[in-house]
């Protein structure tokens, strides 16, 4: 197994690459979506939370990720002694009508196909995604972790409808007419996912790229009056069975799996280990609809046991902290990540 770090778009520079190497990382997972674009976010170095207006504005729908920019990013990461393992999340601007079954979905699908070809041509192994209308929602901020470190959690389900022009927490059309997304069933959302996978997985196979599905965060059946897909462990199997392929894989978030009300995180890790592209290695206390994110060594999950299951299953992919509590110092994000990576590095060496 390999140690990695996830970096937001504004962190894709030599300073953050060097920080990753100093913490023992060998791989990077990048976010090319700017979650903080024009949004009301108090801390761009913390995970995005946002307010009633969402995280921020989506990008340019006509500007796809080009091969040249992906190669340039990979070169910069390689020059820092690291490997580029994955891109995490499509920009809502590039696939909002795929999510919403809108009139532009066929054209947007052609754009996703081209970007997957570019990702493969750049030698990037994985493209992570989260097929969701509401995205990451219903979270609150508080001093939930050890020593009153600031973290996030959940106390209740956000029942507000999603306004027109917004999907996945980001505004793709600020001039959208008043109103809200229409109610749809779980079956309809699964149908939209099936279209996505049947169109894109064959292209990913040809490009040598794994599409990696994140489970719902938080894993509730409905959020903001919209259905969710993978909110119990067994629903990952339903997703994999739509299009069995090595390119139909999982972005395995331990925190989200542990928050689910059915099954357990150890059995799920054992079941899906051979389908995992990479792991979000984070810990939590509690289950939905009330949970708290905590330091990697203080939650409900025995992280060493998880590593043992992964090793025994032959998993050789990348683990990233995803996000961590913010520590009480001048650089909360750096301190939190350094703590998590130090713990992870020690555990991995212990298992050798």
């Amino acid at each position: 197994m390999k140690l990695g770090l996830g970096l937001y778009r504004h962190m894709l520079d030599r300073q953050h690459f060097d920080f990753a190497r100093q913490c023992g990382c060998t791989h990077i997972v990048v976010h090319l979506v700017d979650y903080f674009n024009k949004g009301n976010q108090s801390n761009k170095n913390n995970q995005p939370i946002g307010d009633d207006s969402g995280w921020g504005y989506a990008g340019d729908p006509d500007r796809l990720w080009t091969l040249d920019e992906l190669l340039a990013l990979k070169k910069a990461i390689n020059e820092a002694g690291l490997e580029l393992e994955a891109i995490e999340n499509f920009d809502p601007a590039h696939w909002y009508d795929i999510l919403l079954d809108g009139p532009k979905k066929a054209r947007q699908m052609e754009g996703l196909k081209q970007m997957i070809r570019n990702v493969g041509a750049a030698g990037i192994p994985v493209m992570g995604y989260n097929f969701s209308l509401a995205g990451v929602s219903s979270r609150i901020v508080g001093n939930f972790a050890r020593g009153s470190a600031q973290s996030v959690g959940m106390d209740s389900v956000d029942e507000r409808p999603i306004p027109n022009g917004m999907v996945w927490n980001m505004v793709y059309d600020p001039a959208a007419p008043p109103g809200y997304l229409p109610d749809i069933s779980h079956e309809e959302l699964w149908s939209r996912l099936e279209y996505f996978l049947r169109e894109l997985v064959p292209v990913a196979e040809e490009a040598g790229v794994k599409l990696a599905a994140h489970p719902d965060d938080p894993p509730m059946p409905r959020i903001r009056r919209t259905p969710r897909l993978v909110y119990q462990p067994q629903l990952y199997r339903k997703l994999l069975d739509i299009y069995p392929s090595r390119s139909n894989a999982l972005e395995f978030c331990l925190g989200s799996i542990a928050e689910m009300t059915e099954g357990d995180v150890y059995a799920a890790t054992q079941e899906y280990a051979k389908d995992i592209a990479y792991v979000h290695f984070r810990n939590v206390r509690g289950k939905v609809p009330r949970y708290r994110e905590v330091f990697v060594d203080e939650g409900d999950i025995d992280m060493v046991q998880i590593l043992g299951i992964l090793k025994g299953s032959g998993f050789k992919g990348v683990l990233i902290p995803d996000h961590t509590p913010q520590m009480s110092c001048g650089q909360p994000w750096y301190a939190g990540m350094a703590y998590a990576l130090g713990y992870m590095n020690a555990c991995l060496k212990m298992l050798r």
Side-chain angles (χ1 to χ4, degrees), residues 24 42 61 65 88 94 152 178 194 232 240 270-271 273 276 325 331:
S42 60
W65 303 331
E88 187 159 326
H94 294 149
V152 302
E194 183 172 352
Q232 300 293 6
L240 292 170
Q270 183 71 60
E271 178 179 357
I276 296 172
Q331 296 290 340

Side-chain angles (χ1 to χ4, degrees), residues 214-232:
H214 194 289
D216 284 305
D217 184 5
M220 292 291 296
R222 298 185 73 87
I223 293 282
R224 298 198 70 176
R225 306 187 191 180
T226 63
R228 313 283 266 180
L229 290 174
V230 182
Y231 57 89
Q232 300 293 6

Side-chain angles (χ1 to χ4, degrees), residues 40-235:
N40 184 23
Q41 304 265 17
S42 60
N43 181 358
K44 291 182 69 173
N45 277 12
N46 197 1
Q47 55 183 300
I49 300 295
D51 56 15
D52 291 350
S53 61
W55 287 353
Y57 282 66
D60 184 345
D62 297 319
R63 188 181 181 283
L64 303 179
W65 303 331
T66 68
L67 177 57
D68 285 346
E69 69 179 307
L70 295 176
L71 287 171
L73 175 60
K74 184 180 179 183
K75 181 174 183 287
I77 290 171
N78 292 160
E79 287 175 346
L82 298 156
E83 296 294 333
L84 175 50
E85 178 70 8
I87 301 171
E88 187 159 326
N89 296 328
F90 293 110
D91 193 309
H94 294 149
W95 72 323
Y96 59 83
D97 265 0
I98 295 171
L99 294 169
L100 298 171
D101 193 31
K104 298 178 181 178
K105 74 174 186 180
R107 179 163 68 87
Q108 290 182 351
M109 180 56 73
E110 292 308 308
L112 294 194
K113 290 177 180 178
Q114 184 57 54
M115 287 193 293
I116 291 299
R117 294 185 186 104
N118 293 345
V119 169
I124 303 168
V126 182
M127 179 71 221
Y129 70 94
N130 186 336
F131 202 99
S132 171
L133 304 186
V136 182
S137 182
S138 303
R139 297 191 300 180
I140 58 174
V141 177
N143 301 109
F144 302 139
R146 183 175 56 228
S148 298
Q150 186 185 90
S151 186
V152 302
M154 178 184 183
D155 275 342
S156 61
V157 176
D158 188 346
E159 298 285 2
R160 295 170 302 158
I162 299 173
N164 289 332
M166 178 188 290
V167 73
W168 205 77
N169 270 322
M170 301 191 78
V171 176
Y172 67 87
D173 183 5
Y180 302 96
L181 296 189
D183 290 341
I184 65 167
S185 66
H186 283 91
E187 290 75 18
E188 170 61 22
L189 191 61
W190 277 101
S191 176
R192 297 178 189 182
L193 173 70
E194 183 172 352
Y195 166 77
F196 169 82
L197 291 175
R198 292 195 179 281
E199 288 286 327
L200 205 55
V201 172
V203 177
E205 289 175 337
E206 292 179 3
V209 174
K210 289 184 177 182
L211 297 175
H214 194 289
D216 284 305
D217 184 5
M220 292 291 296
R222 298 185 73 87
I223 293 282
R224 298 198 70 176
R225 306 187 191 180
T226 63
R228 313 283 266 180
L229 290 174
V230 182
Y231 57 89
Q232 300 293 6
Q234 68 270 19
L235 293 171

Side-chain angles (χ1 to χ4, degrees), residues 252-293:
F252 200 75
C253 179
L254 292 169
S256 296
I257 300 293
E259 292 158 16
M260 294 176 179
T261 57
E262 297 177 7
D264 73 77
V265 69
Y266 309 106
T269 304
Q270 183 71 60
E271 178 179 357
Y272 296 116
K274 296 187 184 304
D275 299 299
I276 296 172
Y278 65 102
V279 176
H280 282 179
F281 198 82
R282 63 181 180 87
N283 214 333
V284 297
R285 281 181 178 159
K287 293 181 175 290
V288 293
R290 191 176 191 279
Y291 72 88
R292 302 289 187 253
E293 292 189 15

Side-chain angles (χ1 to χ4, degrees), residues 267-323:
T269 304
Q270 183 71 60
E271 178 179 357
Y272 296 116
K274 296 187 184 304
D275 299 299
I276 296 172
Y278 65 102
V279 176
H280 282 179
F281 198 82
R282 63 181 180 87
N283 214 333
V284 297
R285 281 181 178 159
K287 293 181 175 290
V288 293
R290 191 176 191 279
Y291 72 88
R292 302 289 187 253
E293 292 189 15
V294 294
F295 286 108
V296 67
D297 61 334
E298 65 161 335
D300 293 341
I301 310 172
D302 182 335
M303 306 303 269
V304 176
Q305 184 175 344
I306 292 290
L307 289 173
I309 294 170
L310 291 171
K311 181 181 179 182
S313 300
F315 176 72
K316 299 184 185 302
V318 172
L319 316 171
I320 67 169
D322 189 22
H323 36 78

Side-chain angles (χ1 to χ4, degrees), residues 329-343:
C329 61
Q331 296 290 340
W333 180 87
Y334 292 94
M337 285 296 176
Y339 182 88
L341 290 167
Y343 174 90

